[in-house]
Amino acid sequence: MEQVNVTLTETISVLLDEKKYTTLRDILVTMKPYDIAAVFEELKDEKVPILFRILPKELAAETFVEMDDETPRLLIPGFSDSELKEVVDELFVDDAVDLIEEMPANVVKRILRQADKDTRKQINELLKYPEDSAGSIMTTEFIVLRPDMTAEMAIKRIRRTGVDKETIYTCYITDDNNKLIGTTTVKDLLLSDDDEFVKDIMEENVISVKTLDDQEEVAHTLSNYNFLALPVVDIENRLVGIVTVDDAIDVIQEETTEDIEKMAAVLPSDKPYMKTSVFGIYKKRIPWLLVLMLSATFTSTIISSFEDALSSMIVLSAFIPMLMDAGGNAGSQSSVSVIRAISLDEVEFKSMFKVLWKELRVSILCGVTLAAANFVKLIIFDLHGNENAFWIALVVSLALIGTVIIAKLIGSSLPLLASKIGFDPAVMASPLITTLSDALSLMIYFALATSILNL
Amino acid sequence: MEQVNVTLTETISVLLDEKKYTTLRDILVTMKPYDIAAVFEELKDEKVPILFRILPKELAAETFVEMDDETPRLLIPGFSDSELKEVVDELFVDDAVDLIEEMPANVVKRILRQADKDTRKQINELLKYPEDSAGSIMTTEFIVLRPDMTAEMAIKRIRRTGVDKETIYTCYITDDNNKLIGTTTVKDLLLSDDDEFVKDIMEENVISVKTLDDQEEVAHTLSNYNFLALPVVDIENRLVGIVTVDDAIDVIQEETTEDIEKMAAVLPSDKPYMKTSVFGIYKKRIPWLLVLMLSATFTSTIISSFEDALSSMIVLSAFIPMLMDAGGNAGSQSSVSVIRAISLDEVEFKSMFKVLWKELRVSILCGVTLAAANFVKLIIFDLHGNENAFWIALVVSLALIGTVIIAKLIGSSLPLLASKIGFDPAVMASPLITTLSDALSLMIYFALATSILNL
């Protein structure tokens, strides 16, 4: 994909310079909105509006939806009110809302002024829902059927009203109070006899979400049940919107990126990496770096308090990094496995002890393996010719076992505890656990050293 | 969801003991396959077959698809050939293949023997495709239309043949040589006039993938274009299958889990955490732990080679952990951001220098901030009363700046280099980068110490 867009962008920008507008239009209409949007991102700013005016109306709107935040910012100020109206009219309400949320206030005013009364009402409704809620990602355009329609009438209704609905494939059946009583699909309607009643075709046991449910939960429900769309209802079970599978996928991708960022001690960002400013990235990264640096005070205090032991056998300090890294790696292996399992609904707090018991056995296996390998390595290489070689190797290897066990137990339990008390498990990942296991492993190390090597 | 399933499972298992089979059937038919499968997973092994026999045929098959690997292993051996045939007949071919891939050879033979000739042929076809290829996740059941059909004829065809197709909403138009020449949707067909020709309705510029394309790429294409299904063609552009959006979502989830595991130095696993044996987890974790431990030999060698410097000012060793953690955290922040950007197609190797330039500026900002905070902290707390306080604090703080810069440059460049030479960027994450930046930061630290504190 990428590769193609690049060369294409170059061709397009040349054609723009040569004002070959008909040729450009011919090229653009053969392209998918997603690829056209990619071209816009690569195009020089001043060329963006010119190219956009060449697009046929509907394609222009579809492309608009696929654009990153920047491109519309370039375009809209240059729009005449009528041009703006054309785009807004073509947009699905939920896309219009996404667009508006990215725009400065004065632009938002202009957009709302251009939208027809009904659309404006819907947009304002959607803007009320908190970010990351089902309401904020749902669309209010969907097919509603009545229970006493026949399959034939239903299909007729769909053919009449379907044109500006984001999806027609899942249809929703509501009673006279607009309460959701069932769902059906175009497939079921097409495969039933014309005179069958919707109420006999429809699935009555409906899975739905509430407007304030978390978008991540919504996305998981939708993907777990392999739905194409999920109905969103208010507290009175009145149907207010639907979330479509394409939006669900976007949510899954966003939320995963956030989890991964948190695991790496980066504050979650809503912008793609390449589009975030240097200072923007700095602000996302420095807080955790500071916290973790300050928390390293523990480790330095511990080491200082064993200065005498160390100075009497300075070689001990050579193995501190190895011990700490082993602990950090072992811990993050466990924490990351558990965090991912939590976010895929595979583990909950109630299975805490199952997890701990699993991790304890794994950590003993890992610890002993590492210790054995390490012991041999120390005797043969690092401590070659040192008269205390055996005893030092023993201390380091025992400390290694202790470190791995502790690191894995902390790494697996902290995320579960976090999820229990309503914190985000992802924050309990590597860095935090490293700092904790560092301190503990050093204490074990020095305790063993002082007793076994009687320093 | 979870919560509900739990209590429900208890009720169901009680009803099973009381042999209340009609009641159970009434409960089960109100449930979605995904939830029934969840119940099976929580149920005692011996009860699984009994409950399964209570399910109506079609629901049984649908539930089968949603089950984890274990449950079918429990069920199939107990099946009579006719029971097995019923399930296999109900399964979509791609689901049958997924099932077969998890089964022991003798069971596979039984399943294939029960499948009707045509299905068996299709299954064997699909089994030929390499794991993680488009061919391995596609289904061979889809709606094919001819260009010279009218919309009305097309809808008739769909109503006649749609029942056992996984999706009817995207239809594929092929020429007489079965070459893919266009796609259309039930929506477009329903919204056009009855006598319009498919060839005039269809989208001729088709996005398709090849049977051997990587499943992750397929999933991304599908989600980028917001398709419900993506056609899979052979080298002669003959249509051989389609990948549906629900399978694409599963692929995205799997691949992300693998990435996250690799980032945490865990070998990717295809099984959920709770379902993997202790030894299974051990095998996934120990290789990297060993490699990283052995590579820590560098750090210990470096420290040993500066033993004299250290022994003459033992306090220096107290700040080694802080320096190393800062490096590790700073590095993994960068590597993880870049790795995620790569897997979301936001960054490529060709923007290597853009990235490095970005990270350089970020790392200077972060490094200086940390160094300043650290300097103050050292002067006030850690080195309080030490006559060399100022100079030691200076050394540590300067080393901190150097460490953060190097860690971030390594962290951001290694994943891009890996992707360039066809390695998996995710493997270039935290642990590997930590080991590298450890060694470098120690060298900087000791170099500064020896020169500034002239040890």
Side-chain angles (χ1 to χ4, degrees):
Chain A
M1 209 55 56
E2 301 292 336
Q3 229 44 36
V4 178
N5 293 344
V6 177
T7 54
L8 195 57
T9 313
E10 286 152 5
T11 334
I12 287 176
S13 106
V14 174
L15 287 167
L16 274 169
D17 297 336
E18 298 169 351
K19 304 209 164 28
K20 294 245 167 62
Y21 296 141
T22 31
T23 325
L24 278 165
R25 195 186 168 96
D26 295 343
I27 299 175
L28 291 171
V29 291
T30 69
M31 292 170 64
K32 298 262 182 281
Y34 170 78
D35 295 319
I36 302 177
V39 171
F40 272 104
E41 286 177 41
E42 289 173 2
L43 217 53
K44 284 219 183 54
D45 289 6
E46 65 273 16
K47 291 183 177 169
V48 166
I50 314 167
L51 186 65
F52 191 78
R53 286 199 164 71
I54 302 171
L55 285 170
K57 282 175 199 169
E58 197 175 337
L59 191 55
E62 288 167 7
T63 309
F64 219 84
V65 180
E66 301 291 339
M67 288 175 178
D68 61 336
D69 308 350
E70 309 310 324
T71 324
R73 281 216 188 78
L74 286 171
L75 283 169
I76 293 184
F79 279 173
S80 72
D81 285 357
S82 60
E83 283 175 315
L84 190 55
K85 184 169 177 46
E86 277 162 10
V87 173
V88 175
D89 289 348
E90 288 290 344
L91 289 177
F92 291 118
V93 172
D94 60 335
D95 297 326
V97 171
D98 296 344
L99 175 67
I100 284 175
E101 279 167 340
E102 298 302 336
M103 292 294 140
N106 60 328
V107 179
V108 174
K109 282 209 194 65
R110 276 192 66 202
I111 296 177
L112 287 175
R113 216 182 306 121
Q114 293 316 316
D116 57 66
K117 197 167 147 305
D118 181 43
T119 318
R120 195 180 316 123
K121 198 165 143 299
Q122 293 179 17
I123 292 177
N124 283 320
E125 278 304 316
L126 290 186
L127 284 170
K128 285 204 206 85
Y129 294 108
E131 211 190 341
D132 298 347
S133 69
S136 71
I137 55 167
M138 73 187 182
T139 175
T140 49
E141 295 150 313
F142 45 82
I143 303 259
V144 175
L145 302 174
R146 293 291 173 194
D148 45 17
M149 287 178 166
T150 62
E152 189 178 16
M153 289 160 66
I155 296 289
K156 278 222 181 63
R157 149 87 63 109
I158 293 168
R159 298 184 71 160
R160 205 173 59 252
T161 63
V163 61
D164 56 6
K165 304 288 186 265
E166 195 164 343
T167 178
I168 66 165
Y169 300 131
T170 319
C171 309
Y172 302 89
I173 297 94
T174 56
D175 64 14
D176 307 339
N177 311 324
N178 192 24
K179 286 202 176 15
L180 181 62
I181 58 175
T183 67
T184 187
T185 63
V186 166
K187 182 176 182 180
D188 291 343
L189 290 171
L190 283 177
L191 300 182
S192 351
D193 305 329
D194 288 343
D195 52 9
E196 245 183 292
F197 283 108
V198 167
K199 60 168 168 295
D200 305 323
I201 304 165
M202 72 184 188
E203 163 75 68
E204 288 178 44
N205 132 48
V206 183
I207 305 269
S208 65
V209 293
K210 297 249 176 299
T211 48
L212 296 183
D213 287 354
D214 180 73
Q215 62 173 6
E216 188 168 13
E217 196 187 308
V218 175
H220 280 146
T221 311
L222 195 143
S223 72
N224 288 339
Y225 292 104
N226 298 340
F227 289 153
L228 296 182
L230 195 58
V232 184
V233 296
D234 64 13
I235 28 160
E236 267 102 43
N237 192 37
R238 281 186 304 250
L239 181 62
V240 290
I242 65 172
V243 175
T244 49
V245 66
D246 53 317
D247 297 328
I249 295 178
D250 297 344
V251 169
I252 289 175
Q253 295 281 40
E254 278 169 37
E255 298 282 351
T256 320
T257 308
E258 285 192 6
D259 279 3
I260 293 177
E261 287 174 327
K262 287 178 199 148
M263 289 185 204
V266 179
L267 299 181
S269 55
D270 42 12
K271 267 188 172 186
Y273 173 74
M274 288 307 271
K275 303 213 180 302
T276 318
S277 70
V278 167
F279 192 68
I281 298 180
Y282 167 75
K283 279 189 306 187
K284 299 286 178 196
R285 293 182 182 177
I286 193 66
W288 270 114
L289 286 179
L290 273 171
V291 172
L292 295 167
M293 183 192 73
L294 296 178
S295 61
T297 315
F298 296 120
T299 47
S300 23
T301 333
I302 295 168
I303 295 183
S304 326
S305 62
F306 285 90
E307 260 185 29
D308 315 343
L310 269 181
S311 50
S312 64
M313 200 176 278
I314 194 73
V315 62
L316 287 175
S317 61
F319 307 113
I320 292 179
M322 184 276 289
L323 276 175
M324 288 178 22
D325 284 348
N329 295 329
S332 62
Q333 284 183 330
S334 307
S335 62
V336 164
S337 307
V338 172
I339 290 167
R340 184 62 180 167
I342 293 175
S343 71
L344 292 178
D345 303 330
E346 291 167 7
V347 185
E348 305 166 275
F349 180 74
K350 67 175 161 64
S351 37
M352 174 89 162
F353 290 101
K354 261 196 210 154
V355 174
L356 281 179
W357 173 229
K358 216 183 183 78
E359 289 292 332
L360 177 65
R361 288 172 296 166
V362 174
S363 61
I364 293 172
L365 283 175
C366 290
V368 171
T369 316
L370 287 180
N374 178 65
F375 189 86
V376 177
K377 168 174 164 292
L378 291 191
I379 295 291
I380 298 179
F381 302 105
D382 311 62
L383 297 170
H384 189 68
N386 181 317
E387 75 272 19
N388 300 320
F390 175 84
W391 295 109
I392 299 177
L394 186 68
V395 168
V396 177
S397 303
L398 289 179
L400 193 52
I401 297 180
T403 304
V404 171
I405 294 176
I406 285 183
K408 283 201 173 297
L409 291 184
I410 297 176
S412 50
S413 49
L414 280 194
L416 285 167
L417 285 169
S419 71
K420 177 66 174 178
I421 57 173
F423 274 39
D424 186 333
V427 180
M428 292 297 169
S430 338
L432 211 62
I433 283 154
T434 308
T435 323
L436 258 167
S437 70
D438 281 355
L440 291 162
S441 64
L442 281 172
M443 289 202 253
I444 301 174
Y445 184 41
F446 289 127
L448 286 165
T450 38
S451 55
I452 294 181
L453 302 166
N454 39 48
L455 307 172
Chain B
M1 209 53 58
E2 301 293 336
Q3 229 45 36
V4 179
N5 293 344
V6 177
T7 53
L8 196 57
T9 313
E10 286 151 4
T11 334
I12 286 176
S13 112
V14 174
L15 287 167
L16 273 170
D17 298 335
E18 298 168 352
K19 305 205 165 25
K20 292 246 168 59
Y21 296 141
T22 32
T23 325
L24 279 165
R25 194 187 168 94
D26 294 344
I27 298 174
L28 291 170
V29 291
T30 69
M31 292 171 65
K32 298 264 183 284
Y34 170 77
D35 295 320
I36 303 177
V39 172
F40 273 104
E41 286 176 40
E42 289 173 3
L43 216 53
K44 284 218 181 54
D45 289 5
E46 65 274 15
K47 291 182 177 169
V48 167
I50 313 167
L51 186 64
F52 191 78
R53 284 196 167 70
I54 301 172
L55 285 170
K57 281 175 200 170
E58 198 175 338
L59 191 54
E62 288 167 8
T63 308
F64 221 84
V65 180
E66 300 291 339
M67 287 176 179
D68 61 335
D69 307 349
E70 308 311 323
T71 324
R73 280 218 189 77
L74 286 171
L75 283 169
I76 293 186
F79 280 174
S80 72
D81 285 356
S82 60
E83 283 175 316
L84 190 56
K85 185 170 177 44
E86 277 164 7
V87 172
V88 176
D89 289 349
E90 288 289 346
L91 290 176
F92 290 117
V93 173
D94 60 334
D95 298 325
V97 171
D98 296 345
L99 174 66
I100 283 175
E101 279 166 342
E102 300 302 337
M103 291 296 143
N106 60 328
V107 179
V108 173
K109 282 208 195 65
R110 275 193 65 201
I111 296 177
L112 287 176
R113 218 181 306 118
Q114 292 316 316
D116 58 67
K117 199 168 146 303
D118 180 44
T119 317
R120 195 181 316 125
K121 200 168 140 297
Q122 292 179 22
I123 292 177
N124 283 320
E125 277 305 316
L126 290 185
L127 285 171
K128 285 205 206 83
Y129 294 107
E131 211 190 342
D132 298 348
S133 69
S136 70
I137 56 167
M138 72 187 184
T139 175
T140 49
E141 295 151 314
F142 44 84
I143 303 260
V144 175
L145 302 174
R146 293 289 171 195
D148 45 18
M149 288 178 164
T150 63
E152 190 179 13
M153 290 159 65
I155 295 290
K156 278 220 180 67
R157 149 86 64 107
I158 293 167
R159 296 183 72 160
R160 204 173 57 251
T161 63
V163 61
D164 55 7
K165 304 286 183 270
E166 194 163 344
T167 178
I168 65 165
Y169 299 132
T170 317
C171 309
Y172 302 89
I173 299 92
T174 56
D175 65 13
D176 308 339
N177 311 325
N178 191 24
K179 286 206 177 17
L180 181 62
I181 58 175
T183 67
T184 186
T185 63
V186 166
K187 182 175 181 180
D188 291 342
L189 290 171
L190 283 176
L191 300 183
S192 4
D193 305 328
D194 289 342
D195 52 7
E196 242 182 294
F197 283 108
V198 166
K199 61 167 167 294
D200 305 324
I201 303 166
M202 72 183 188
E203 163 75 67
E204 288 176 46
N205 129 49
V206 184
I207 306 268
S208 65
V209 292
K210 298 250 176 298
T211 46
L212 296 183
D213 287 355
D214 180 72
Q215 62 173 4
E216 187 168 16
E217 197 186 306
V218 175
H220 280 147
T221 311
L222 195 143
S223 71
N224 288 339
Y225 291 105
N226 298 339
F227 290 152
L228 296 182
L230 195 58
V232 184
V233 296
D234 64 14
I235 29 160
E236 269 102 41
N237 193 37
R238 282 186 302 250
L239 180 62
V240 291
I242 64 171
V243 174
T244 50
V245 66
D246 52 317
D247 297 328
I249 295 178
D250 297 343
V251 169
I252 290 175
Q253 295 282 41
E254 278 168 36
E255 297 283 349
T256 322
T257 309
E258 285 192 9
D259 279 3
I260 294 178
E261 287 174 328
K262 288 178 198 149
M263 289 185 204
V266 180
L267 299 181
S269 56
D270 40 12
K271 267 188 172 185
Y273 173 75
M274 289 307 272
K275 305 218 177 300
T276 318
S277 70
V278 168
F279 192 68
I281 298 180
Y282 167 76
K283 279 189 305 186
K284 298 286 177 197
R285 292 181 182 178
I286 193 66
W288 270 114
L289 287 179
L290 273 170
V291 173
L292 295 167
M293 183 193 72
L294 296 178
S295 62
T297 317
F298 295 121
T299 48
S300 26
T301 330
I302 295 168
I303 295 183
S304 325
S305 62
F306 285 90
E307 259 185 29
D308 317 343
L310 270 181
S311 49
S312 65
M313 201 176 276
I314 193 74
V315 61
L316 287 176
S317 62
F319 307 112
I320 292 178
M322 184 276 290
L323 276 175
M324 287 178 24
D325 285 348
N329 295 330
S332 61
Q333 284 183 330
S334 306
S335 63
V336 164
S337 307
V338 172
I339 290 167
R340 184 62 179 166
I342 294 174
S343 70
L344 292 178
D345 303 328
E346 290 167 8
V347 186
E348 303 165 277
F349 180 76
K350 69 175 158 64
S351 38
M352 175 90 163
F353 290 101
K354 261 198 209 153
V355 174
L356 281 178
W357 174 229
K358 215 182 184 84
E359 288 292 332
L360 177 65
R361 289 173 293 167
V362 174
S363 61
I364 293 170
L365 284 175
C366 290
V368 171
T369 316
L370 287 179
N374 178 64
F375 189 85
V376 177
K377 168 175 165 291
L378 290 192
I379 294 291
I380 300 179
F381 302 103
D382 311 62
L383 297 171
H384 190 68
N386 180 317
E387 77 273 19
N388 299 319
F390 175 84
W391 295 109
I392 298 175
L394 185 67
V395 168
V396 177
S397 303
L398 289 179
L400 193 52
I401 297 181
T403 305
V404 172
I405 294 177
I406 286 182
K408 283 202 174 295
L409 292 183
I410 298 176
S412 51
S413 49
L414 281 194
L416 286 167
L417 286 170
S419 70
K420 176 66 176 177
I421 58 174
F423 274 41
D424 186 333
V427 179
M428 293 296 170
S430 339
L432 210 62
I433 283 154
T434 308
T435 324
L436 256 168
S437 70
D438 281 356
L440 291 162
S441 64
L442 281 172
M443 289 202 253
I444 302 175
Y445 184 41
F446 290 127
L448 286 166
T450 37
S451 56
I452 294 181
L453 303 166
N454 38 48
L455 306 172

